[in-house]
Amino acid sequence: MVLTPNEAYAAKQPFVDKETLEHIVEQFPTPFHLYDEAGIRRNMQEVRDAFAWNPGFKEYFAVKANPNPALISILNEYGCGCDCSSYTELMIARSLGITGHDIMFSSNDTPAADFELADKLGAIVNFDDISHIGFFERVAGPIPKTVSCRFNPGGLFQLSNGIMDNPGDSKYGMTTEQLFEAFRMLKAKGAEDFGIHAFLASNTVTNDYYPKLARILFELAVRLERETGAHVAFINLSGGVGIPYRPEQTENDIMAIGEGVRKKFEEILVPAGMGDVAIFTEMGRFTTGPYGALVATAIHEKHIYKEYIGLDACAANLMRPAIYGAYHHITVMGKEDAPCDHKYDVTGSLCENCDKFAVDRKLPEIDMGDYLVIHDTGAHGFSMGYNYNGKLKSAEVLLKEDGKVFAVWWLTILVLGWCSFPLCQYLFSGFRDRGYLVAKIFGIAGAGFLMWLGASTGIVPFTHVGCLVSTGVLAAVCWGVWIALKKQKIKDKTSWKFTTEWYQTVLDDELVFILFFLLWTYMAGFRPAAYGTEKFMDYGFMMAMMRSTT
């Protein structure tokens, strides 16, 4: 599909409007990467729906695509694991409480320390080469019960619309012969459940890639199970499902892709008695790519042999256009419907002539101070940044989807308050509300202390589960004490009775609390960054969490 410059410019619209962006810039100066929480959640739910036919389906988000802990935590809510390829990525997963088989460790030319940490965390190790098996044993120990091997069929990978990629020129994976030998070797060394992994093409904008890859891997799995006796437990289709960077491209239909894989599954694996095989994916780019944007300000214009617009962002913030010549759509905010009657090279400030976000791009007239949104940076954007010319990493900002966070915090405090209320209402029975408001403070402090104590002693990890455990212990102690006191002969029996006056007092307390909570949230929204003495505490907390093994 051929589009005119005006049609192409208008075809892709940013997920944020100019007014919202202006409010954000008041707090976070450009350049920064902006992420759309609502879009990420919506897309991840569609991925789950597309593969819901497979009970064992799991998306392992490629941490390399975007290692931001906040985004990984959002995806983890939808059951996503982490596809890690380095020691640091394993550390990020561990810091978020993601361990065990929720980590797929797919690396190449792997250092010993990386294998050691992957084994310590219980990750599924995806062997890139047959020689890595012996190396793993020497540096990490015995072969795990569950393993995976990466396959490279060689040659050219083709679809009906032509050549997609050249696996034969790729450094990744094993040959067919090596794969069969690796399965036999691993089985002899104690492995029980096997997986197959392959990545044959990058950023495909077609619904046919996954089904074609699935056919190759499904047929291979049947042969492997029959000829080696190894139990193939899962097949990892890896990544490769792309996004439409260019306005003339049609986006992938994940429901159609999931259905295409299902048909191959029913056609090949089910008749072979392998209907229990789980399907794994690693769609980093597809998951977050369209839901990120680099926001920059036009700060210079230059008129020589070409027309240049200089931004306060540079290739250190987004290197794909500089090293690949990759296309990223650009929107001039407030001029979404303006005619594209100017041709610009949009550049950064690095001492490299390749530091260009766009070359000969038709755009509306750009004035100094205009905000430019560079699309589709949610994957392989910030994560590929670097520090050439001493440039520092930009901020990352999450555009929240709604007021759900406020509701979650309020409900959390409400639950913690009720967990500690039985004890507090005994200790503060002289108060009109019998310690109802004080119980909230006790709940937060008590659960926090128990979580710190459990993590410090290694009894329970600092995870969502650990927080639930500490809250449960707090509730058990407080309610247990209350029950014990009730069984004793207490003179003032009225302290355990709740009158209409008490209920009215508690309702008034809760309304006042919500109003002040809303007011504080509103005020903090104008200055969300840590400031004053908070900087030292927050920095200390972050450093402690990064260094902690729990």
Side-chain angles (χ1 to χ4, degrees):
M1 178 174 58
V2 178
L3 301 177
T4 67
N6 287 339
E7 290 172 337
Y9 176 73
K12 287 176 74 77
Q13 294 294 325
F15 55 77
V16 62
D17 57 45
K18 184 181 180 183
E19 182 180 1
T20 302
L21 198 58
E22 288 173 339
H23 285 304
I24 295 172
V25 172
E26 290 176 3
Q27 303 300 317
F28 303 98
T30 59
F32 57 80
H33 284 270
L34 182 66
Y35 304 118
D36 176 19
E37 180 184 7
I40 291 171
R41 289 184 179 277
R42 182 175 60 252
N43 189 50
M44 192 60 239
Q45 185 57 54
E46 290 178 359
V47 170
R48 291 181 64 183
D49 292 343
F51 290 90
W53 54 268
N54 184 263
F57 172 75
K58 192 174 187 69
E59 160 66 13
Y60 286 88
F61 177 70
V63 178
K64 67 177 74 66
N66 194 321
N68 187 293
L71 300 187
I72 296 173
S73 294
I74 291 172
L75 296 171
N76 188 236
E77 293 178 26
Y78 293 83
C80 289
C82 286
D83 163 36
C84 298
S85 60
S86 70
Y87 192 98
T88 305
E89 291 180 2
L90 288 169
M91 290 177 62
I92 292 171
R94 180 181 64 185
S95 71
L96 296 171
I98 301 172
T99 58
H101 286 188
D102 284 336
I103 298 176
M104 181 70 64
F105 184 60
S106 297
S107 61
N108 64 95
D109 293 330
T110 310
D114 294 28
F115 270 144
E116 287 183 88
L117 183 56
D119 185 62
K120 180 181 179 181
L121 296 179
I124 299 175
V125 176
N126 183 33
F127 289 105
D128 179 69
D129 186 68
I130 192 169
S131 66
H132 290 182
I133 297 171
F135 181 77
F136 178 92
E137 288 183 295
R138 291 193 299 274
V139 302
I143 295 297
K145 298 295 184 183
T146 301
V147 295
S148 179
C149 291
R150 189 166 186 170
F151 173 59
N152 184 335
L156 298 177
F157 181 75
Q158 293 179 287
L159 290 173
S160 57
N161 59 347
I163 297 173
M164 301 298 295
D165 220 320
N166 184 4
D169 197 39
S170 168
K171 68 174 182 176
Y172 307 112
M174 307 181 196
T175 66
T176 304
E177 295 76 14
Q178 289 174 338
L179 187 68
F180 276 78
E181 183 181 350
F183 266 52
R184 293 188 179 97
M185 185 186 301
L186 290 164
K187 188 171 184 291
K189 293 177 181 292
E192 297 175 358
D193 293 318
F194 291 75
I196 309 171
H197 174 287
F199 181 83
L200 304 188
S202 178
N203 193 42
T204 62
V205 188
T206 169
N207 297 332
D208 297 331
Y209 170 63
Y210 255 11
K212 175 68 177 291
L213 174 61
R215 170 179 283 281
I216 293 172
L217 296 186
F218 292 170
E219 291 175 345
L220 179 63
V222 172
R223 286 184 54 203
L224 281 165
E225 190 158 293
R226 287 176 179 172
E227 296 180 28
T228 67
H231 174 240
V232 177
F234 61 88
I235 294 174
N236 191 337
L237 301 177
S238 187
V241 177
I243 60 176
Y245 286 100
R246 293 181 174 275
E248 67 271 15
Q249 292 177 309
T250 303
E251 65 180 350
N252 285 323
D253 182 347
I254 194 62
M255 297 304 295
I257 291 172
E259 177 62 14
V261 175
R262 186 196 65 79
K263 289 180 178 178
K264 302 302 180 186
F265 189 94
E266 298 286 343
E267 175 188 333
I268 300 168
L269 292 182
V270 172
M274 298 173 65
D276 61 338
V277 171
I279 301 299
F280 296 163
T281 58
E282 298 170 352
M283 293 185 285
R285 191 192 312 265
F286 182 83
T287 304
T288 59
Y291 311 105
L294 176 60
V295 181
T297 302
I299 59 174
H300 289 291
E301 54 186 332
K302 187 172 184 177
H303 313 285
I304 50 174
Y305 306 107
K306 300 179 74 173
E307 297 294 307
Y308 293 94
I309 292 294
L311 306 183
D312 56 0
C314 62
N317 307 115
L318 178 65
M319 71 186 301
R320 295 186 74 253
I323 64 170
Y324 301 138
Y327 180 95
H328 279 266
H329 200 68
I330 296 175
T331 297
V332 184
M333 298 305 291
K335 301 177 180 179
E336 291 85 352
D337 300 319
C340 297
D341 51 7
H342 286 65
K343 183 188 290 187
Y344 296 112
D345 278 17
V346 182
T347 67
S349 59
L350 293 185
C351 297
E352 294 290 340
N353 195 48
C354 65
D355 184 16
K356 297 179 179 179
F357 296 107
V359 176
D360 294 333
R361 183 77 59 86
K362 296 297 291 290
L363 292 168
E365 182 178 8
I366 299 175
D367 299 309
M368 295 303 93
D370 279 347
Y371 297 128
L372 275 66
V373 168
I374 303 175
H375 293 239
D376 302 317
T377 70
H380 309 291
F382 181 90
S383 63
M384 294 179 72
Y386 53 101
N387 300 113
Y388 184 60
N389 278 170
K391 296 291 185 179
L392 301 179
K393 289 291 192 78
S394 66
E396 294 177 280
V397 182
L398 180 62
L399 185 63
K400 305 297 290 184
E401 60 171 343
D402 50 33
K404 186 175 71 172
V405 172
F406 172 85
V408 168
W409 273 107
W410 174 70
L411 286 171
T412 300
I413 295 171
L414 183 68
V415 169
L416 290 173
W418 275 104
C419 286
S420 60
F421 177 68
L423 181 58
C424 287
Q425 73 108 10
Y426 174 72
L427 296 174
F428 302 95
S429 58
F431 289 19
R432 285 188 62 189
D433 65 355
R434 298 188 189 172
Y436 179 80
L437 280 181
V438 179
K440 294 178 183 289
I441 301 172
F442 268 61
I444 296 171
F449 173 76
L450 290 171
M451 183 67 260
W452 169 81
L453 185 65
S456 299
T457 56
I459 296 174
V460 61
F462 185 38
T463 62
H464 290 94
V465 174
C467 292
L468 290 174
V469 170
S470 65
T471 303
V473 171
L474 174 70
V477 170
C478 292
W479 284 83
V481 171
W482 178 60
I483 292 171
L485 290 172
K486 279 196 69 176
K487 290 180 179 179
Q488 296 179 7
K489 300 295 182 179
I490 301 175
K491 294 180 181 179
D492 185 12
K493 294 290 186 180
T494 60
S495 64
W496 306 104
K497 295 179 181 179
F498 301 103
T499 62
T500 302
E501 181 184 3
W502 179 84
Y503 284 113
Q504 184 61 52
T505 302
V506 167
L507 181 59
D508 293 342
D509 284 351
E510 199 61 54
L511 288 173
V512 171
F513 177 80
I514 291 174
L515 287 174
F516 273 95
F517 194 29
L518 277 170
L519 178 62
W520 181 255
T521 304
Y522 176 76
M523 293 172 61
F526 289 100
R527 193 175 182 183
Y531 59 92
T533 55
E534 287 185 31
K535 291 181 179 179
F536 302 102
M537 292 184 291
D538 286 355
Y539 183 74
F541 286 140
M542 287 188 288
M543 291 300 295
M545 285 188 289
M546 289 302 295
R547 293 175 179 176
S548 173
T549 58
T550 57

